[in-house]
Amino acid sequence: MTTTPRAVRRKSRPAAQPDPAHPLLPAGEQIRLLDPAGTPLPAHPDYPEPPVEALVELYRRMVIGRRFDLQATALTKQGRLAVYPSARGQEACQVGAVLALRDDDWVFPTYRESMALTARGIDPVEVLTLLRGDWHCGYDPVLRRSAPQCTPLATQCVHAAGLAYGEAYQGRETVALTFIGDGATSEGDFHEGVNFAAVFKAPVVYFVQNNRYAISVPLSRQTAAPSLAYKGVGYGVPSEQVDGNDPVAVLAVLTRAVAHARAGHGPFLVEAHTYRMEPHTNADDATRYRDADEVAVWQDRDPVARLETYLRARGALDDTIVARVAGQAEEYAADLRERMHDKPTVDPMTLFDHVYAEPTPQLAEQREQVRAELTADQEGAA
């Protein structure tokens, strides 16, 4: 008696129908559970508040994440990093997305998701290895279930759809969450990835962090849609928009989006309205395209302070806990600072490792050319 492989059995079953409890159109207003001052708003029937223990852990990782971000920015100014795209101000999005996932789910980051990767438990030195220019990717993507940080805009949207579809095809309940910037929604890869995921019911969450600028290009020059969340509608993908500086709402909305994908209903698109407080990277001068008054408005919407105020009011945080978390953040930064001051020993020949599973003749030829040049330099120095 022959048995049908699990992948084929999975393929032969009808796909899950769209979730009737969630329409395609996003809410007309951003989902918000806390106001900017940290005061709770009326409960939302579709997005129940996460357990308080999860919110305390969210706060802890956000504080550590912000301290990591500040330290990485300082390392860039000291010449320890070649470049660093800060995520300060986007802590609720960076950490909330990670906490909405299981450990065996996959993350597809952009170049700005260093904070999210460290919140996922990856060694910060490994995360910054790429930005230091030492290696293709400082961590093992398969082991960490985290794809390499992606610099080309939106290409990770296609990768996430493919991996998620492959996992579902094999009968696994894996969800892939891919981070996207607002500018990336103007790229063809974004639309191709969302369309593929929708047609094949791939369990992907497309998480758009709309921080209002694609480098210096404002959102008004990117789209005429009421919000970026509406971009999922044309592909039959349910979407939602959320206040990206409200940590409670971000975690609540993403938790439901992940559950939607895991249940077999296909992809889900979430747009978070947020703001990056720092320039695009250390090579950018943000004062050329935004003024200080705009930045000040968003400083008053600080996601870390917002969550701290709320948790203090609930009795889940006090001065002792806040001080302990701050101490953990300082220890984390000090350890990173100390280890990043060690100059790595780099072998130029490793440039050719992991380019292909099997080196091509052209790659082998290039490797031998570099080897010959290095040998000649060494002999000349002797």
Side-chain angles (χ1 to χ4, degrees), residues 265-288:
H265 298 304
F268 199 106
L269 190 150
V270 176
E271 176 194 12
H273 296 265
T274 186
Y275 197 80
R276 57 171 168 81
M277 302 306 299
E278 300 290 340
H280 177 71
T281 70
N282 54 294
D284 174 40
D285 179 7
T287 63
R288 297 178 62 185

Side-chain angles (χ1 to χ4, degrees), residues 67-375:
R67 186 64 187 89
F68 158 78
D69 191 88
L70 291 171
Q71 185 60 65
T73 299
L75 289 168
T76 307
K77 294 177 180 179
Q78 297 166 7
R80 300 291 178 178
L81 297 179
V83 66
Y84 182 70
S86 170
R88 187 167 73 89
Q90 300 180 211
E91 291 86 357
C93 298
Q94 296 276 306
V95 181
V98 168
L99 289 187
L101 298 171
R102 296 178 183 172
D103 289 343
D104 59 349
D105 289 331
W106 271 79
V107 167
F108 285 78
T110 76
Y111 49 80
R112 198 174 301 282
E113 268 65 64
S114 296
M115 187 188 302
L117 293 172
T118 57
R120 194 161 168 81
I122 301 178
D123 186 329
V125 173
E126 293 184 357
V127 172
L128 295 178
T129 292
L130 172 67
L131 301 174
R132 188 161 59 173
D134 294 346
W135 194 237
H136 303 290
C137 179
Y139 51 87
D140 183 335
V142 176
L143 178 65
R144 297 298 188 175
R145 312 286 280 188
S146 301
Q149 287 183 271
C150 187
T151 299
L153 293 185
T155 54
Q156 74 275 14
C157 297
V158 180
H159 304 158
L163 181 136
Y165 174 70
E167 290 287 284
Y169 190 86
Q170 297 179 74
R172 304 189 184 106
E173 294 186 344
T174 308
V175 171
L177 183 146
T178 180
F179 291 90
I180 311 160
D182 48 286
T185 63
S186 297
E187 297 287 331
D189 293 275
F190 167 78
H191 298 276
E192 292 170 8
V194 173
N195 187 61
F196 179 95
V199 170
F200 292 97
K201 291 289 187 293
V204 188
V205 174
Y206 289 100
F207 184 38
V208 181
Q209 293 175 94
N210 176 6
N211 61 23
R212 301 176 63 85
Y213 291 95
I215 306 182
S216 61
V217 179
L219 183 66
S220 62
R221 305 300 293 176
Q222 292 286 337
T223 182
S227 83
L228 295 174
Y230 283 80
K231 289 185 179 286
V233 177
Y235 299 108
V237 175
S239 307
E240 193 58 274
Q241 56 175 330
V242 62
D243 181 345
N245 283 31
D246 177 352
V248 179
V250 170
L251 183 56
V253 170
L254 286 176
T255 296
R256 176 161 184 179
V258 170
H260 169 99
R262 202 182 308 281
H265 298 304
F268 199 106
L269 190 150
V270 176
E271 176 194 12
H273 296 265
T274 186
Y275 197 80
R276 57 171 168 81
M277 302 306 299
E278 300 290 340
H280 177 71
T281 70
N282 54 294
D284 174 40
D285 179 7
T287 63
R288 297 178 62 185
Y289 54 85
R290 66 185 193 187
D291 57 43
D293 291 341
E294 178 181 298
V295 176
V297 169
W298 283 90
Q299 284 176 335
D300 292 336
R301 303 175 186 176
D302 181 10
V304 177
R306 197 168 180 174
L307 183 57
E308 180 179 332
T309 298
Y310 174 62
L311 291 176
R312 280 181 179 273
R314 288 198 58 177
L317 280 185
D318 57 25
D319 289 345
T320 301
I321 298 175
V322 169
R324 182 169 66 244
V325 171
Q328 293 172 356
E330 287 302 323
E331 291 176 3
Y332 192 89
D335 177 70
L336 171 62
R337 185 168 59 247
E338 180 179 353
R339 290 193 291 144
M340 286 294 291
H341 282 320
D342 293 334
K343 292 184 178 180
T345 301
V346 180
D347 181 0
M349 297 308 300
T350 61
L351 177 68
F352 302 95
D353 294 346
H354 308 298
V355 179
Y356 295 99
E358 294 293 335
T360 63
Q362 294 84 356
L363 188 68
E365 180 181 357
Q366 293 168 10
R367 181 175 55 194
E368 290 310 311
Q369 288 176 349
V370 172
R371 190 192 306 277
E373 290 178 8
L374 291 173
T375 300

